[in-house]
Amino acid sequence: MPTQCNPDSMLFARLDRRELVADFGGGAITSDAGALLLGATDKAINLVDRFAACFTDGRTAGRVVHDVRTLVGQRVFGIALGYEDLNDHDDLRRDPVLGPVLGRLEARRARCAPLAGKSTLNRLEHAPVDGDRYRKIAHDPDAIEHLFVDLFLDAHAKPPARITLDLDATDDPIHGRQEGRFFHGYYDCYCYLPLYVFCGEHLIAAKLRRSNIDASAGSVEEMSRIVSRIRQRWPKVKILLRGDSGFTREALMAWCETNKVDFLFGLARNARLVDQIHIDLAWAEDEAERTGKPARRFADFRWTTLNSWTRRRRVVAKAEWMPNRDENGANPRFVVTSLPAKEVDARTLYERVYCARGEMENRIKECQLDMFADRTSAATMKANQLRLWFASIAYVLLAALRRIALAHTQLEKATCGSLRLKLMKIGAQVTVTVRRIRVAMASACPYAEEFALAHARLCR
């Protein structure tokens, strides 16, 4: 395969009597040999085909060089490999590994590359809901949203007895004049406010929203859709909805109670709540002063607001005193739940059930920092939503690789960024003959054993 790189030699420091020289004339060499594992993972869960089925292609079939399935796979694999910009694909379109992984060893037409360039992929990212004269590829938002839930359900061999769905809103800073641009006082920037729903490491929903709304806006509709689809497959599963105080809203709690979904939400503190546990705080202060260490007690009581709640609900309070604080050492925290006290006591509810919600924030960081989910620089919200879905599908792909192929290895808890660095970014020479395509990876790869084990598990 010809290379377009400059083969001129570069002279470095001498080593004994030898000159140390380098050039870019190595031929068909890739730095992304780990794309082979992505291809195997994709086949294991049939991700790209199912995602591509959410798009319709109105182009004239005889003139199509790059079909929708290839375009979708190229964009998803590109993000997973760390290429956030479409401009990168003007070089990736000729990558000797990415092409064969996507089923494209040679171009379909003379003077074309096996894969698509930035302009074609840009038209895919701006695919409207209904095709128009200039954008023949369209996408179905409902089908994409259902796909995330279906992928989560398919990842389980049998229905679990109980699942916990975590909701959270986060900031997605924007720096242009995108549609839906608003300033958010809490985050102190212009941003979107996407809503994420996770179950463990499984991403179930990623909804792009304007930031001039309440954090819980649209959560009832999202949960109604998700829970309904889950119960179609798993009618007996018990569902716990968990979120911070931004989701402690009467509409969402009432919906949970009506639909037999348990909830556990943070509860913003106020003077009335703090006064309710003043005795527990006093005991915690006394213990902290005697021991010199933080002390905490837990209170469990029925509570209702003055106006917003329609019924009394169970509230658990953490009465904590921290003696090393410069100011007042009181650090009270509250949660509201539908879980009965006979099922889980106050301390366990707060420390083990509610605080586990923080793990979801790590998953959001993976999506935004490793999968570039915050790269929402398109002019319209629909295009940015589609970009968010592409990044989310890339996360699902790497999470599936971690779950299926890397269990009980040193990489079983690695972030998506670490997986990319250690298993994707592997140099290899590609040799194409009549009978096979050989990818000769670097012999010094420090994670060769994990790579081989992952291959064995994915192809099992």
Side-chain angles (χ1 to χ4, degrees), residues 394-412:
Y395 166 83
V396 171
L397 182 64
L398 278 176
L401 169 63
R402 180 171 54 199
R403 182 183 70 253
I404 298 171
L406 299 174
H408 310 298
T409 71
Q410 60 177 318
L411 298 178
E412 66 176 340

Side-chain angles (χ1 to χ4, degrees), residues 166-210:
D166 286 305
L167 294 87
D168 203 0
T170 188
D171 63 314
D172 177 2
I174 55 179
H175 307 284
R177 294 287 176 179
Q178 290 98 315
E179 178 187 7
R181 175 179 183 267
F182 287 96
F183 186 84
H184 197 287
Y186 179 80
Y187 294 111
D188 195 27
C189 65
Y190 288 92
C191 63
Y192 291 129
L193 195 68
L195 173 67
Y196 283 94
V197 181
F198 280 85
C199 181
E201 67 173 5
H202 298 276
L203 175 56
I204 299 180
K207 187 78 170 181
L208 193 67
R209 307 177 300 174
R210 290 174 168 84

Side-chain angles (χ1 to χ4, degrees), residues 232-460:
Q232 286 177 7
R233 186 90 64 90
W234 299 339
K236 297 181 180 180
V237 67
K238 294 182 179 180
I239 300 174
L240 172 66
L241 205 58
R242 185 169 58 188
D244 61 19
S245 60
F247 295 91
T248 311
R249 302 292 182 266
E250 173 62 26
L252 184 55
M253 292 188 291
W255 178 88
C256 289
E257 291 160 344
T258 301
N259 291 273
K260 298 181 180 179
V261 174
D262 288 318
F263 62 84
L264 174 58
F265 298 136
L267 182 59
R269 67 185 177 193
N270 55 47
R272 289 182 63 225
L273 281 168
V274 174
D275 185 63
Q276 181 76 14
I277 61 168
H278 70 278
I279 296 177
D280 299 279
L281 276 173
W283 280 109
E285 180 183 7
D286 179 70
E287 182 181 344
E289 289 180 351
R290 285 188 290 102
T291 63
K293 299 178 180 180
R296 58 173 57 176
R297 288 172 173 263
F298 290 88
D300 196 332
F301 53 91
R302 305 290 293 179
W303 180 261
T304 186
T305 61
L306 293 176
N307 300 308
S308 57
W309 292 7
T310 58
R311 65 176 68 182
R312 295 172 66 85
R313 297 182 171 98
R314 182 191 180 195
V315 169
V316 167
K318 179 191 71 170
E320 185 175 42
W321 196 275
M322 307 178 70
N324 295 327
R325 279 193 170 187
D326 295 335
E327 301 176 356
N328 183 10
N331 183 38
R333 291 289 187 270
F334 303 89
V335 296
V336 57
T337 185
S338 63
L339 296 172
K342 63 181 180 180
E343 182 175 330
V344 56
D345 63 89
R347 178 181 288 272
T348 302
L349 179 75
Y350 187 88
E351 293 184 336
R352 296 191 179 181
V353 183
Y354 179 72
C355 289
R357 189 191 65 82
E359 187 61 26
M360 179 202 184
E361 297 180 2
N362 293 329
R363 306 286 77 78
I364 293 178
K365 289 178 182 177
E366 281 190 276
C367 289
Q368 292 198 312
L369 300 180
D370 296 338
M371 298 292 102
F372 320 110
D374 58 351
R375 191 62 182 267
T376 47
S377 55
T380 65
M381 285 200 69
K382 288 183 179 179
N384 284 324
Q385 173 66 82
L386 193 50
R387 283 189 174 188
L388 176 59
W389 280 330
F390 272 112
S392 300
I393 287 291
Y395 166 83
V396 171
L397 182 64
L398 278 176
L401 169 63
R402 180 171 54 199
R403 182 183 70 253
I404 298 171
L406 299 174
H408 310 298
T409 71
Q410 60 177 318
L411 298 178
E412 66 176 340
K413 295 185 181 298
T415 65
C416 291
S418 295
L419 293 180
R420 176 190 298 141
L421 179 65
K422 296 175 180 180
L423 291 181
M424 305 292 111
K425 296 299 180 181
I426 301 176
Q429 185 180 49
V430 183
T431 305
V432 181
T433 65
V434 175
R435 293 186 177 181
R436 66 177 181 175
I437 302 171
R438 180 171 184 257
V439 181
M441 289 180 282
S443 301
C445 176
Y447 296 95
E449 291 185 6
E450 285 78 7
F451 193 102
L453 177 62
H455 166 263
R457 288 176 172 176
L458 289 169
C459 297
R460 186 168 53 192

